[in-house]
Amino acid sequence: MSATTPVPRQQKSAAFEYLTTRKDEFVGWARKFSLFPYPFVTACCAMEFMSVSSTLYDTDRFGAALPRFTPRQSDLLMVVGTVSHKQAPILRKVYEQMCEPKWVIAFGVCATSGGFYQNYAALPGIDKIIPVDLYIPGCPPRPEMVIDGIMKLQDKIAGERHPIINQDF
Amino acid sequence: MGTGENLLERVQASLGAQALETGMAHGILVLQITAESLVPVAGRLKQEFGFDLFLDVTATDWPQRRPRFDVVYHFYSARDFVRVRLKTQVEETDPTVDTLVPLYGSARYMERECHEMYGIRFRGNDDLRPLLLYEGFVGHPLRKDYPKQREQPLVPYRDVKP
Amino acid sequence: MSLPPLTTLPNPIRPAFTKGLTPGSVIVNIGPSHPATHGTIQIVAEISGERVVRTDVHCGYLHRGFEKECESHTWHTLIPYVDRLNYCSALINDFAYCEAVEKLMGIELTPRCRHLRTLLAEYSRIADHLTCVAAALMEMGAMTAFLYLVTIRDYVYEHIADLTGARVTHSYGRIGGLARDLPDGWLQRLEEILDQMDTFVDRVHGLVDRNRIFIDRMRDVGVIATAEAINWGFTGPILRSTGTPRDLRKDTPYLSYGELEFEIPVGIKGDNYDRYYVRMREIDESKHMIRQLIDMLQPGPISVDDRRCTLPEKQAVYTEIEALIYHFKLIMDGIQVPAGETYSAHEGANGELGFYLVSVGGGVPWKVHCRSPSFVHMGGVHRMLDGYQLADLVPTFGSVNMIGGECDR
Ligand code: SF4
């Protein structure tokens, strides 16, 4: 780390800008194919989740198959199924335990908005308590829909900025 | 089938005196009893007549009626394949019945559920912690006067900017 | 990101014990989001070394207010909620609920509907057992067996989707009938799938039945005796695994079960291995029943001809005013069910699945209560966990097959 004050950003050379953009693309490309999902599986949608991760649909093709069963090792939180108010603190805790960068998929309408459970027990959508990157509608969504959702998330990751190094670099 | 119906007739004949009302409904013998005679009747059902499987306990809420709640029990005989329903009425001010835990282990969990959903107290069941609901939930959601959408969130909601 | 601080998170449960009985013991918390237990369940266990001394089982993490939700829907529009009780075998729930309403209304089903319901219920039961066995095996590390079973289960789902339009949650039952008749070629495909299933299930038998690791983890683990099982209200495969042939399909025949020939598989001592084997044998019996039912199916109407519950023909709705009015009334006011109460039970994939309905007349139920086997099993599951190793918790739990939707409702 140099002792001089950082150079203001606009004075960076064009070559540096070019490099950071390329770096973002490169990191995005790497990250989008190494998603480690943490399945936060609660309800009926789990049945489809099982199908998606097994032979016929096989999310392995998208680099998103190997579930990590601890939130600390995963970077994709898949909330599969209804989250009730009783479950909400647990979901929140799991989310906090994950390291950055992290993404969240709301799988099924229950996770998206509470679905057709609009009553005292069910949380009306997990985005009430944690930020969500992608919603997959359906009750339960068909496996094709899930695969589509994962691909959309990959596009999103590829297009994101990935600040792993700061501007002093 | 014959033995099962015979059994129900025998039950009706011998427990009829302890019941306020008896009758058959859709193949199930229904006994309307007082809250005091619940444990003796259930005990005789189990010991004398072989109703060994305790299926279910729940309650029905009739807000306009006094007494307000029906507590409903279902028993099944795994030997004769028939069911008996016991019904007893309790007041809103004192919704207490005796527990059936000494007779049937399965009553423990089901009474817990009935307690949190309707606020029925089961005297003698020492474990009436919330089961399907959570600590800190106020009210009894299946009572008719609990609004369906009254939520009691445990986690404060995020303020999402639209 | 503006998340409220974490320190305010309350604990939703209160454990029954926080101190161990013996000095060396430790209290561990397992779940509710734990990779090795399927279903959201929380177990607070006191362990001494590797041995589980006592457990406190908490369910309710999937409580979705089923009964409350039912009270604000008409008798017909709550069928999708019923589906999501036991989502592994949604059709059994559908038919059990419909039969309870039909009892209240005094409706007699048409023969084709009866046979078809029986067939689909058995088909659903197969899917349920496949899921249960697959998940239990996966939790023990038998990934290959899992993939085999889920593959065949996927064929079943896809096939049911041809008929009902949905893979998991079908909403196919209707009061007094079924949503629609079989599409062309459905039965041929059914036979193909049954044949394929033989192959896949045989492979799983070959992989695990005599497998030393599997036997060591399953035999003599989670044992429960008949008397105790009955005391704790156990029904279904768990009760049968203790050696008691109690099955509502045989004991109080409903639908077409009285006309079918089948056996009730029972276990020897009520351990995990027996529960696994009873489920596998039930798959065979269900296949046998389905094959008989395919032969019994005769053409005919699938819904009763009863104005009180069956929607009129779509063509008639467009052309006749009377049919239009009936259609409108049935949709807007719902089916008018006479006042009364009933309890009706079917043999669900996990045990006695009962519906206790109270009607005060009119289109909306006063009360719909579900007697769900999983919930009752959770009340007594500690009897199968206490005294065994901590690692045994996983296969025992897998073989009990707790279904969150049904348990917590
Ligand atoms: S979205 Fe539908 S299938 Fe998924 S958990 Fe909710 S109710 Fe079940």
Side-chain angles (χ1 to χ4, degrees):
Chain A
M1 190 72 62
S2 69
T4 55
T5 49
V7 193
R9 200 178 167 80
Q10 54 269 40
Q11 288 174 23
K12 290 276 187 191
S13 65
F16 182 82
E17 284 298 331
Y18 175 76
L19 259 180
T20 27
T21 325
R22 297 268 84 177
K23 178 267 296 172
D24 276 347
E25 275 173 25
F26 174 70
V27 175
W29 172 82
R31 276 187 178 159
K32 82 175 200 186
F33 288 120
S34 62
L35 291 171
F36 287 95
Y38 176 85
F40 191 87
V41 174
T42 59
C44 356
C45 278
M47 296 298 110
E48 284 300 33
F49 185 75
M50 273 167 88
S51 295
V52 173
S53 47
S54 68
T55 334
L56 291 187
Y57 294 97
D58 191 12
T59 39
D60 218 352
R61 296 173 292 159
F62 304 93
L66 193 65
R68 307 309 317 192
F69 285 123
T70 158
R72 292 169 188 81
Q73 297 172 357
S74 56
D75 48 15
L76 169 62
L77 178 62
M78 282 195 141
V79 183
V80 182
T82 325
V83 176
S84 61
H85 284 304
K86 189 172 182 179
Q87 184 102 32
I90 289 97
L91 175 63
R92 179 66 203 287
K93 205 177 273 175
V94 166
Y95 179 78
E96 301 281 348
Q97 284 173 348
M98 291 170 63
C99 301
E100 293 281 355
K102 52 188 170 187
W103 295 275
V104 179
I105 287 185
F107 187 119
V109 288
C110 278
T112 305
S113 68
F116 68 176
Y117 292 100
Q118 300 293 334
N119 56 31
Y120 64 92
L123 184 72
I126 57 166
D127 52 5
K128 286 271 188 297
I129 54 168
I130 57 174
V132 177
D133 291 278
L134 190 99
Y135 302 89
I136 304 179
C139 184
R142 276 193 62 93
E144 291 88 342
M145 185 79 128
V146 182
I147 289 176
D148 193 43
I150 292 180
M151 283 158 62
K152 287 246 161 55
L153 182 72
Q154 289 180 330
D155 291 348
K156 180 175 170 177
I157 294 173
E160 261 175 10
R161 290 213 30 146
H162 295 275
I164 49 170
I165 38 179
N166 61 21
Q167 49 186 348
D168 295 330
F169 165 71
Chain B
M1 272 333 268
T3 60
E5 273 143 30
N6 282 342
L7 176 72
L8 286 189
E9 273 165 29
R10 276 194 290 126
V11 173
Q12 192 165 6
S14 74
L15 289 182
Q18 276 168 287
L20 306 173
E21 216 181 295
T22 64
M24 292 290 292
H26 304 285
I28 296 180
L29 176 67
V30 186
L31 298 173
Q32 181 87 43
I33 54 174
T34 59
E36 289 72 48
S37 53
L38 172 71
V39 175
V41 169
R44 287 190 63 198
L45 275 180
K46 181 178 178 186
Q47 261 105 38
E48 274 176 47
F49 301 104
F51 285 86
D52 43 7
L53 202 60
F54 178 59
L55 289 178
D56 197 20
V57 51
T58 184
T60 329
D61 184 4
W62 306 96
Q64 316 306 349
R65 197 191 71 181
R66 301 292 307 273
R68 178 170 166 185
F69 297 105
D70 274 337
V71 187
V72 186
Y73 296 81
H74 285 97
F75 301 88
Y76 179 66
S77 159
R79 199 181 56 213
D80 296 286
F81 318 135
V82 281
R83 297 195 174 82
V84 167
R85 176 185 308 146
L86 295 185
K87 286 172 74 174
T88 176
Q89 299 187 342
V90 289
E91 286 282 358
E92 184 183 0
T93 47
D94 179 30
T96 309
V97 287
D98 285 320
T99 178
L100 293 187
V101 173
L103 290 171
Y104 302 96
S106 49
R108 198 177 65 115
Y109 242 48
M110 294 186 244
E111 290 180 349
R112 254 173 96 174
E113 189 214 349
C114 189
H115 170 257
E116 65 180 346
M117 290 297 166
Y118 287 96
I120 309 288
R121 279 196 298 276
F122 292 89
R123 198 186 300 120
N125 188 339
D126 53 1
D127 183 13
L128 291 175
R129 291 171 295 152
L131 179 61
L132 300 185
L133 299 172
Y134 36 88
E135 296 292 332
F137 192 95
V138 184
H140 304 288
L142 283 186
R143 287 192 177 182
K144 292 280 177 189
D145 49 14
Y146 189 94
K148 185 178 136 220
Q149 297 204 341
R150 183 193 286 163
E151 295 174 34
Q152 307 187 14
L154 280 181
V155 183
Y157 285 172
R158 218 155 61 94
D159 37 324
V160 207
K161 287 162 230 86
Chain C
M1 265 174 277
S2 55
L3 290 183
L6 192 63
T7 44
T8 55
L9 285 188
N11 188 3
I13 61 140
R14 178 157 40 103
F17 46 82
T18 47
K19 278 215 183 60
L21 292 173
T22 48
S25 64
V26 186
I27 311 277
V28 290
N29 171 61
I30 302 151
S33 175
H34 191 271
T37 58
H38 65 264
T40 47
I41 193 95
Q42 181 169 14
I43 302 173
V44 181
E46 176 184 347
I47 51 173
S48 160
E50 275 289 305
R51 207 173 56 83
V52 178
V53 181
R54 52 181 173 157
T55 46
D56 178 23
V57 180
H58 292 269
C59 52
Y61 283 96
L62 193 51
H63 179 61
R64 308 188 270 196
F66 164 74
E67 292 173 25
K68 192 78 177 176
E69 200 70 70
C70 287
E71 289 170 13
S72 59
H73 284 72
T74 63
W75 293 96
H76 243 161
T77 52
L78 64 85
I79 287 180
Y81 290 97
V82 176
D83 258 349
R84 283 153 185 81
L85 287 175
N86 183 346
Y87 35 77
C88 293
S89 51
L91 289 169
I92 300 183
N93 301 275
D94 269 15
F95 302 151
Y97 165 73
C98 288
E99 181 170 297
V101 183
E102 283 149 13
K103 256 191 191 168
L104 275 177
M105 298 179 70
I107 290 174
E108 184 79 25
L109 292 176
T110 63
R112 185 172 172 85
C113 174
R114 237 174 349 105
H115 293 336
L116 211 49
R117 277 190 184 185
T118 320
L119 189 153
L120 287 167
E122 287 312 307
Y123 206 27
S124 241
R125 190 185 313 277
I126 291 182
D128 189 299
H129 286 341
L130 287 175
T131 314
C132 166
V133 173
L137 288 174
M138 178 187 63
E139 280 150 13
M140 279 184 285
M143 200 64 194
T144 317
F146 168 79
L147 291 177
Y148 280 149
L149 292 174
V150 173
T151 306
I152 190 71
R153 189 195 68 156
D154 242 54
Y155 293 161
V156 174
Y157 276 178
E158 221 36 83
H159 188 222
I160 298 187
D162 280 351
L163 170 65
T164 64
R167 281 164 51 96
V168 180
T169 47
H170 315 291
S171 311
Y172 181 65
R174 294 288 183 272
I175 294 157
L178 295 168
R180 60 189 77 82
D181 209 337
L182 298 179
D184 290 340
W186 200 83
L187 290 176
Q188 282 80 12
R189 176 77 184 130
L190 176 60
E191 283 176 34
E192 275 169 43
I193 290 184
L194 292 185
D195 290 340
Q196 274 169 330
M197 197 180 294
D198 286 337
T199 331
F200 278 87
V201 169
D202 277 351
R203 283 186 200 161
V204 173
H205 275 303
L207 277 173
V208 300
D209 275 10
R210 316 278 322 140
N211 184 322
R212 191 69 247 169
I213 303 172
F214 182 73
I215 295 177
D216 282 349
R217 293 206 67 183
M218 302 290 266
R219 251 298 167 233
D220 295 320
V221 174
V223 181
I224 192 150
T226 308
E228 196 163 11
I230 288 190
N231 178 35
W232 288 101
F234 290 2
T235 46
I238 304 187
L239 181 58
R240 291 197 281 277
S241 75
T242 65
T244 322
R246 283 286 73 83
D247 189 324
L248 293 181
R249 291 174 289 174
K250 223 21 161 217
D251 301 341
T252 55
Y254 54 91
L255 291 177
S256 311
Y257 288 111
E259 304 157 43
L260 295 175
E261 182 230 314
F262 62 99
E263 284 174 14
I264 304 173
V266 292
I268 305 162
K269 45 183 163 182
D271 58 6
N272 283 341
Y273 194 89
D274 282 351
R275 286 192 280 277
Y276 155 77
Y277 219 85
V278 164
R279 285 210 163 83
M280 289 302 257
R281 279 281 294 117
E282 277 187 24
I283 295 181
D284 297 340
E285 287 303 321
S286 294
K287 275 189 293 205
H288 183 51
M289 278 185 247
I290 291 179
R291 292 205 167 102
Q292 294 173 46
L293 283 159
I294 292 178
D295 296 335
M296 283 159 66
L297 267 185
Q298 297 296 332
I302 55 159
S303 291
V304 288
D305 185 15
D306 189 333
R307 278 272 160 83
R308 290 179 302 160
C309 62
T310 311
L311 286 178
E313 290 271 327
K314 205 73 190 164
Q315 193 53 39
V317 175
Y318 286 131
T319 50
E320 292 164 25
I321 184 68
E322 198 194 353
L324 178 67
I325 291 172
Y326 271 117
H327 184 95
F328 185 79
K329 290 296 256 183
L330 279 180
I331 298 290
M332 299 309 289
D333 298 349
I335 293 177
Q336 304 296 309
V337 175
E341 53 186 330
T342 185
Y343 176 90
S344 146
H346 277 193
E347 181 74 28
N350 283 331
E352 170 157 347
L353 173 74
F355 281 95
Y356 172 61
L357 309 181
V358 179
S359 168
V360 287
V364 178
W366 187 254
K367 178 180 171 64
V368 176
H369 177 76
C370 169
R371 187 265 181 211
S372 64
S374 290
F375 177 70
V376 183
H377 293 164
M378 282 309 104
V381 76
H382 60 282
R383 304 294 307 167
M384 300 189 220
L385 302 176
D386 296 357
Y388 296 95
Q389 306 265 304
L390 184 62
D392 293 338
L393 209 130
V394 176
T396 306
F397 217 81
S399 72
V400 169
N401 194 20
M402 174 267 193
I403 304 289
E406 175 183 70
C407 173
D408 304 339
R409 285 158 284 157

